[in-house]
Amino acid sequence: MSEIARLFRAREAGILVMLVLFVAVVSLIQPRFFSTETLRIVLLAVPLILVAAMGQMMVLVARHVDLSIGSILGFSAIAAGMVFRDHPELPLFVGFAVGVLSGAALGFVNGLVVTVFKLPSIIVTLGTLSLYRGLLFILSGSKQIDPNDIPEPLIRMAQTSPIDIPWIVIIAFGVAFATWLFLTYSQIGRQIYAIGSNPVAAPLRGIRVMPVTILVFTLSGALAGLAGLIYAARFGYVNPGITGVGFEFTVIAAVVIGGVSINGGVGSVLGTVLGVLLLGSVQVALPILGVSGFWQNAIYGGIILIALVIDRTVRQGGLRGLLARGGA
Amino acid sequence: MTSIDKNPVAPRVIVREAAAPRPRWQVWLIRPEVVTLLLLVIAAIVATRLSPFFADLGFILESSTYYIEFAIVALVLTIVIISGEIDLSPAAQMALSACLFGTAFKAGAPIPVAMGVSLLSGLVMGAFNGFFVTVLRLPSIIVTIGTLILYRGLAQVLAGDKSISGFPGWFVGIDYRMVGIVPVPVLVFIAASILLGLFLGITIYGRQIYQIGTSEIAAIHAGIRVRRIKMGLFIASGLTSSIAGLMVASRLGSVRYDLATGGELTMVLIVMLGGTYIFGGRGSILGTFLAAWLLVIIATGMTVANIAINAQLTIMGLLLIVSIIATNAIYARSQR
């Protein structure tokens, strides 16, 4: 197979084609979509999803799923926000540490319950979705963190930086790059793929499935916590009943569109980044096209289903394999 | 498996003592439904001690209607989970079918026609789920997450952020219609429990569903029409969800796109509390029936004790996790 042919068969190429087609079609209908201003808005819209998507991607590659990240995001944002509000004298990084560490702790609990009791992660994290949301209501006393309690430097991170690209964008793509290094060049990173490809064979090859799985959930939680701070920076408030509600579905949509297989073992950082960009473009394009924002969720849901069918088609070797009777 | 071993040496038969059968009382007593029943009795006693309200059956029945709507769908979800699949979209189906009902009514359709539209939409949504699971053979867990977002999103497209109301008086207030001291939704729940319990327990289809959940491959080899049955279950789930959606519309007298938000958790919680095995093949309608009342008593108890609805989420999430851990432990014990 020639290099070019291989390139086109890669999943990332398919997503890239979808992204380019989408931008082209929208730009044809509404020329003002094709501008640096749009690019700026898209880049500002994606960090929140991108950071959490890196965690969710690792969880999916390990053949699990984490439904609790929306609640973890809310919890970490509230925890960090309360530090900012009650102790304004502390430096900014203390709030960051609180947010990321509280997220990591909640993710650790997910991983522990899933691995120790050998339970399906989807049910466990459905439970912790509710559990963590309840805890964050208790922690915050159902009170919102108001805009004037969010420190000025944090807000500015969503607007600018020394090189004119907002800090949160730099952080998000930095996280993506670090995830790529981790998954590609570290031993544990490769083990995550091995576990997801064949959970039965992995321990036979000497992989310690339990600690690696717990680590994956912990990382997912920590990244959701970081996303909580990005939320606070970008929106300038944290509300216990709003922040992060339904966020898990947006992230799962982005990751699945990015070609990460829900059957584990397959998925790349590049694909996920493209998936996030595609989702961000849809989000930005809707109002420009004059489509009601109410369509957003329906479109996300439809995109997930289409991505699932495409994923299935690729694995079954074309349409004929997809509809063939019998088999797995 | 095609090549036959022609080794002339007679295979050595390993004789192993069969494990002694578990005593009859263990088989009957150590099962999740019994635990659910025990918890139900304990919860009832504790609640009656805490507040005299609970001694009044009428009070419990009246305050149960919110959870009973989910419990009715949970009955069907129990069968879906026993068959080895899962459906996370019923709450969104409730919302979309209710919004379709409201939209049809606003467009001038008489109530019975609007109800027909809503029920039909339930069938279609269920068949849509079933199509992805049985024809395209995609895992139901992720398919129904996708359709959950899709159905809820379509409800939002239909209703926007406004609520649709103005239904005629005879349609509104199903939870206030009583037969004796029993509200109509509770009556529906009891009737559905008996019917589905019999279906699962004594019909051939019911037994086949257990077999599918225990080993799908064995079921296929045994000639069971696995795909057809699963398709039927998803359609049943959709139809039941739309009935529950109509009941919510009647109870509230209005519909919104965010109706029954988070209901998937409540439904899965009821099924898991009832001791249905998350990996399929085991479980019972009786367990789900008992679990529904357990949840009603716990939730009503928390409300009487002035625990904020939002803080109740903590308890619900914790209950879900504890109940699957307990159920799994019990089934691990009783494994041959």
Side-chain angles (χ1 to χ4, degrees):
Chain A
M1 194 192 313
S2 77
E3 279 301 310
I4 295 171
R6 190 173 300 158
L7 202 65
F8 271 101
R9 285 185 70 103
R11 281 158 190 262
E12 289 78 13
I15 311 156
L16 190 61
V17 169
M18 267 169 77
L19 181 59
V20 171
L21 272 179
F22 180 79
V23 172
V25 169
V26 176
S27 306
L28 276 180
I29 302 172
Q30 190 56 263
R32 75 189 158 93
F33 180 71
F34 198 76
S35 66
T36 48
E37 176 62 15
T38 306
L39 183 68
R40 205 184 63 83
I41 299 174
V42 171
L43 280 183
L44 260 179
V46 296
L48 194 59
I49 309 174
L50 184 56
V51 168
M54 286 300 130
Q56 186 71 260
M57 180 204 126
M58 285 189 268
V59 175
L60 283 183
V61 166
R63 212 185 272 198
H64 284 285
V65 64
D66 188 349
L67 291 182
S68 68
I69 52 171
S71 297
I72 295 183
L73 183 151
F75 188 94
S76 301
I78 285 282
M82 287 174 73
V83 171
F84 294 141
R85 186 187 63 196
D86 302 336
H87 303 281
E89 73 282 359
L90 291 173
L92 201 57
F93 77 84
V94 177
F96 267 85
V98 167
V100 173
L101 289 180
S102 62
L106 297 181
F108 179 78
V109 172
N110 281 339
L112 207 62
V113 176
V114 167
T115 51
V116 169
F117 298 102
K118 297 193 175 56
L119 295 172
S121 49
I122 189 148
I123 304 293
V124 171
T125 53
L126 183 65
T128 52
L129 179 157
S130 167
L131 174 62
Y132 297 161
R133 181 64 60 184
L135 285 181
L136 97 87
F137 272 111
I138 295 171
L139 176 73
S140 67
S142 300
K143 278 199 285 286
Q144 158 167 317
I145 306 289
D146 291 324
N148 51 358
D149 291 325
I150 308 276
E152 194 57 37
L154 186 64
I155 304 276
R156 249 183 281 124
M157 291 181 73
Q159 291 158 352
T160 185
S161 79
I163 51 170
D164 262 3
I165 300 168
W167 268 112
I168 57 168
V169 179
I170 300 174
I171 291 176
F173 282 91
V175 165
F177 183 69
T179 310
W180 178 74
L181 284 180
F182 172 66
L183 284 180
T184 315
Y185 293 109
S186 82
Q187 199 177 358
I188 296 177
R190 302 318 297 170
Q191 289 178 346
I192 295 174
Y193 281 94
I195 292 172
S197 308
N198 194 335
V200 180
L204 300 178
R205 294 213 56 191
I207 295 172
R208 294 185 302 159
V209 175
M210 191 172 155
V212 175
T213 310
I214 293 179
L215 175 74
V216 167
F217 275 100
T218 309
L219 285 175
S220 169
L223 290 173
L226 181 60
L229 280 144
I230 294 179
Y231 185 98
R234 197 166 122 68
F235 296 104
Y237 75 96
V238 185
N239 184 302
I242 297 173
T243 301
V245 173
F247 181 66
E248 55 278 356
F249 295 129
T250 311
V251 172
I252 290 175
V255 174
V256 172
I257 294 164
V260 178
S261 169
I262 35 116
N263 289 303
V266 175
S268 71
V269 170
L270 179 63
T272 307
V273 170
L274 290 171
V276 172
L277 284 175
L278 181 58
L279 214 60
S281 310
V282 172
Q283 211 175 346
V284 174
L286 287 185
I288 293 183
L289 288 174
V291 177
S292 149
F294 295 132
W295 275 95
Q296 187 172 312
N297 281 322
I299 291 174
Y300 284 0
I303 291 179
I304 290 186
L305 293 174
I306 294 170
L308 285 177
V309 174
I310 292 176
D311 178 54
R312 185 81 197 186
T313 317
V314 170
R315 276 189 296 126
Q316 296 277 323
L319 273 176
R320 204 185 309 166
L322 183 70
L323 291 167
R325 293 182 78 83
Chain B
M1 60 182 269
T2 46
S3 76
I4 296 165
D5 194 2
K6 294 246 175 77
N7 195 341
V9 179
R12 239 189 298 161
V13 178
I14 301 163
V15 183
R16 216 194 263 165
E17 289 287 323
R22 293 191 307 137
R24 183 61 54 90
W25 66 268
Q26 266 197 14
V27 177
W28 278 101
L29 283 186
I30 304 188
R31 49 198 294 164
E33 292 91 336
V34 177
V35 178
T36 313
L37 182 63
L38 220 62
L39 287 176
L40 181 58
V41 172
I42 294 172
I45 292 173
V46 171
T48 339
R49 280 290 163 84
L50 289 180
S51 157
F53 281 121
F54 280 93
D56 182 7
L57 189 63
F59 169 75
I60 296 183
L61 288 175
E62 267 172 46
S63 50
S64 70
T65 41
Y66 172 78
Y67 285 99
I68 286 301
E69 287 147 5
F70 294 130
I72 292 171
V73 186
L75 292 172
V76 181
L77 185 61
T78 307
I79 308 181
V80 172
I81 292 181
I82 289 175
S83 82
E85 300 290 341
I86 195 166
D87 189 350
L88 290 176
S89 68
Q93 295 184 13
M94 284 167 72
L96 179 51
S97 59
C99 284
L100 272 168
F101 166 79
T103 312
F105 172 74
K106 271 280 148 271
I111 288 278
V113 175
M115 285 170 74
V117 169
S118 167
L119 296 179
L120 190 68
S121 77
L123 289 176
V124 172
M125 287 187 282
F128 190 67
N129 281 338
F131 171 79
F132 277 93
V133 175
T134 62
V135 179
L136 300 183
R137 297 196 308 290
L138 291 161
S140 51
I141 264 184
I142 195 84
V143 165
T144 53
I145 286 184
T147 53
L148 178 166
I149 306 170
L150 177 67
Y151 297 156
R152 179 77 66 184
L154 288 175
Q156 209 173 354
V157 171
L158 269 181
D161 51 5
K162 294 191 232 356
S163 61
I164 304 172
S165 55
F167 307 129
W170 66 267
F171 177 78
V172 177
I174 192 173
D175 55 323
Y176 282 113
R177 308 284 153 80
M178 303 277 183
V179 177
I181 58 160
V182 186
V184 171
V186 176
L187 215 59
V188 172
F189 174 60
I190 294 172
S193 302
I194 295 171
L195 278 179
L196 290 174
L198 289 177
F199 168 75
L200 200 59
I202 64 173
T203 67
I204 293 177
Y205 282 116
R207 304 319 293 174
Q208 287 181 339
I209 288 169
Y210 279 101
Q211 202 171 344
I212 295 171
T214 311
S215 169
E216 185 165 339
I217 295 175
I220 293 171
H221 287 306
I224 296 174
R225 297 171 187 275
V226 173
R227 289 166 156 215
R228 190 174 296 182
I229 289 177
K230 282 189 175 174
M231 185 60 142
L233 288 181
F234 277 104
I235 293 176
S237 170
L239 183 63
T240 321
S241 303
S242 63
I243 293 172
L246 285 174
M247 286 166 74
V248 179
S250 165
R251 177 168 58 84
L252 298 178
S254 70
V255 295
R256 275 176 61 90
Y257 84 91
D258 57 359
L259 168 154
T261 301
E264 49 279 346
L265 174 89
T266 313
M267 295 177 208
V268 173
L269 173 59
I270 294 175
V271 178
M272 293 295 118
L273 268 180
T276 296
Y277 192 39
I278 186 64
F279 298 108
R282 289 153 169 231
S284 69
I285 295 291
L286 177 65
T288 304
F289 180 79
L290 293 174
W293 294 111
L294 177 59
L295 189 67
V296 165
I297 289 188
I298 293 175
T300 316
M302 287 194 293
T303 309
V304 170
N306 263 331
I307 299 177
I309 293 281
N310 295 325
Q312 291 186 13
L313 286 174
T314 320
I315 312 283
M316 298 293 178
L318 214 57
L319 262 182
L320 175 58
I321 293 169
V322 171
S323 67
I324 29 173
I325 292 175
T327 307
N328 270 29
I330 289 173
Y331 281 134
R333 254 187 73 100
S334 65
Q335 212 84 5
R336 285 145 297 165

